[in-house]
Amino acid sequence: MHKRPRALLLALALSFTLALPAAAAQFQDVPDDHWASDAVAYVVDKGLFNGTSATTFTPDAGMTRAMLTEVLYRCAGTPEVSATVEEATPFRDVPENAYYRDALVWAYENEILPDWFSSEDGGEANRTTFNPDTVTPRIDFAQMLYRFSWYVTGAAPVLDEDVTLPFQDATETALREVFLAAYPYYACTQEDMDLIHGAFLWAYAQGIMNGTSETTLSPDRTISRAQVAVMLMRFDGAYGSALFQLEVLQLVNQARADQGLAPLTADPALTAAAQTRAEELTTLYSHTRPDGRSCFTALTEAGVAYGAAGENIAAGYPTPAEVVAGWMASDGHRANILSEDFTQMGLGYAPAEDGFGHYWAQLFVG
């Protein structure tokens, strides 16, 4: 297919080395040998949630619906929300100045919240209370994180039929009993049970959630701050590139909206090509691939058809916000981001144990 050389010429190499984020504060109740110490450092460094004081994290405290909704919203990159809680949701128990108001609108509109939070009969939403301060059981957070994975990847996870849950309290019968005890008002259907069981199966198969013992999953136990930290760190390990793709796309589309341009969309094949390029950058930081071919041959290999194409690359930036800011500060990269020729974007990210540590490849087609 014909490629317009202007796109590549505008995508000049961009490389800055930045310091890594500061280490998380040392909490007195999370010593270095604590089972969740690395995860606590991860969520604090990422700004997902903080300690309960300057010196305490309170790892065993439960997390509420409001807290978890806000945390997942931050994981998503805090996308812009235009509607109010009153306009977009059925909930009427949310204070006007609640810190989680935007997060709640985002979560409701993107179906992150379990259906039983807002419905009594599995049908149209008719509950008006969100109960933001209600501590959340593991059965609910597994469902929220499962749905969040759909949001991040754009598709329902494919469950491995060979994986089973080795827990006495995670059979369908046991989970139904737990659910009905917690939500007697909700008319739980077989579809609901499939989602509940599927969420646990997904979390276990991905290594995101483990049992509380060799034989128990404890679906009715309150999810603790330490457990959430560990699960989010593991989620990042499994879906980190998809999270970065989501956040970069949001930032790029905001920059395009500021210029009155149409938003770009994501495409799985384009994202796969960008991921290939990011991994290649750890070997050769260039628009030329390690085997000497043009960067755009990665598009052809991924089955991406295009008339116009462009590539931005970067190294050293630790976060999506910083890499997009770097690209936008460079004329050539900014031109790609704001080009009217492009309609789709894919992003690849590859960590590396070298002086740069972070490699990014952004591919555009139109």
Side-chain angles (χ1 to χ4, degrees), residues 76-355:
T78 60
E80 185 176 359
V81 170
S82 57
T84 66
V85 173
E86 292 75 16
E87 291 169 342
T89 83
F91 305 122
R92 295 297 177 265
D93 60 341
V94 178
E96 185 174 348
N97 60 346
Y99 68 90
Y100 56 87
R101 287 181 66 89
D102 284 352
L104 181 56
V105 172
W106 163 81
Y108 187 81
E109 291 184 333
N110 289 284
E111 300 183 348
I112 306 297
L113 302 178
D115 294 343
W116 49 91
F117 280 16
S118 58
S119 176
E120 292 183 351
D121 58 6
E124 186 176 349
N126 50 23
R127 292 185 67 81
T128 60
T129 54
F130 177 58
N131 297 317
D133 299 325
T134 299
V135 290
T136 308
R138 287 160 62 88
I139 195 171
D140 286 359
F141 186 57
Q143 183 69 202
M144 293 172 74
L145 201 55
Y146 183 51
R147 290 168 178 245
F148 183 58
S149 74
W150 297 15
Y151 172 81
V152 168
T153 64
V158 177
L159 300 178
D160 189 339
E161 295 180 357
D162 295 329
V163 176
T164 58
L165 294 171
F167 307 110
Q168 297 173 353
D169 56 358
T171 65
E172 183 173 319
T173 299
L175 289 175
R176 185 181 290 274
E177 291 176 356
V178 166
F179 183 84
L180 293 178
Y183 301 104
Y185 62 79
Y186 186 81
C188 186
T189 66
Q190 184 58 49
E191 183 179 0
D192 293 316
M193 288 310 308
D194 290 343
L195 281 172
I196 292 166
H197 187 264
F200 280 124
L201 189 64
W202 162 83
Y204 177 74
Q206 293 287 329
I208 292 172
M209 176 181 277
N210 296 329
T212 53
S213 76
E214 291 185 359
T215 58
T216 57
L217 187 61
S218 304
D220 55 345
R221 184 180 297 180
T222 297
I223 193 84
S224 73
R225 288 166 56 85
Q227 289 172 347
V228 171
V230 168
M231 290 178 67
L232 291 176
M233 184 175 71
R234 291 173 176 171
F235 185 93
D236 191 18
Y239 292 91
S241 293
L243 282 167
F244 283 165
Q245 159 82 7
L246 179 68
E247 187 170 352
V248 168
L249 185 61
Q250 290 169 348
L251 292 168
V252 164
N253 282 337
Q254 183 57 57
R256 290 176 65 89
D258 291 344
Q259 300 299 317
L261 299 171
L264 302 179
T265 60
D267 176 78
L270 185 56
T271 297
Q275 184 60 33
T276 295
R277 288 291 298 129
E279 293 168 5
E280 291 176 346
L281 295 177
T282 66
T283 299
L284 177 65
Y285 185 75
S286 170
H287 292 296
T288 300
R289 301 179 72 180
D291 62 6
R293 293 182 297 159
S294 163
C295 60
F296 297 126
T297 59
L299 295 172
T300 305
E301 291 176 356
V304 177
Y306 61 94
E311 178 181 78
N312 286 346
I313 61 176
Y317 292 100
T319 68
E322 287 169 305
V323 75
V324 172
W327 280 327
M328 289 297 291
S330 164
D331 290 343
H333 300 85
R334 177 186 174 90
N336 270 346
I337 289 173
L338 300 181
S339 173
E340 296 185 25
D341 292 336
F342 300 139
T343 58
Q344 294 182 313
M345 187 205 84
L347 181 91
Y349 168 79
E353 295 182 0
D354 62 12

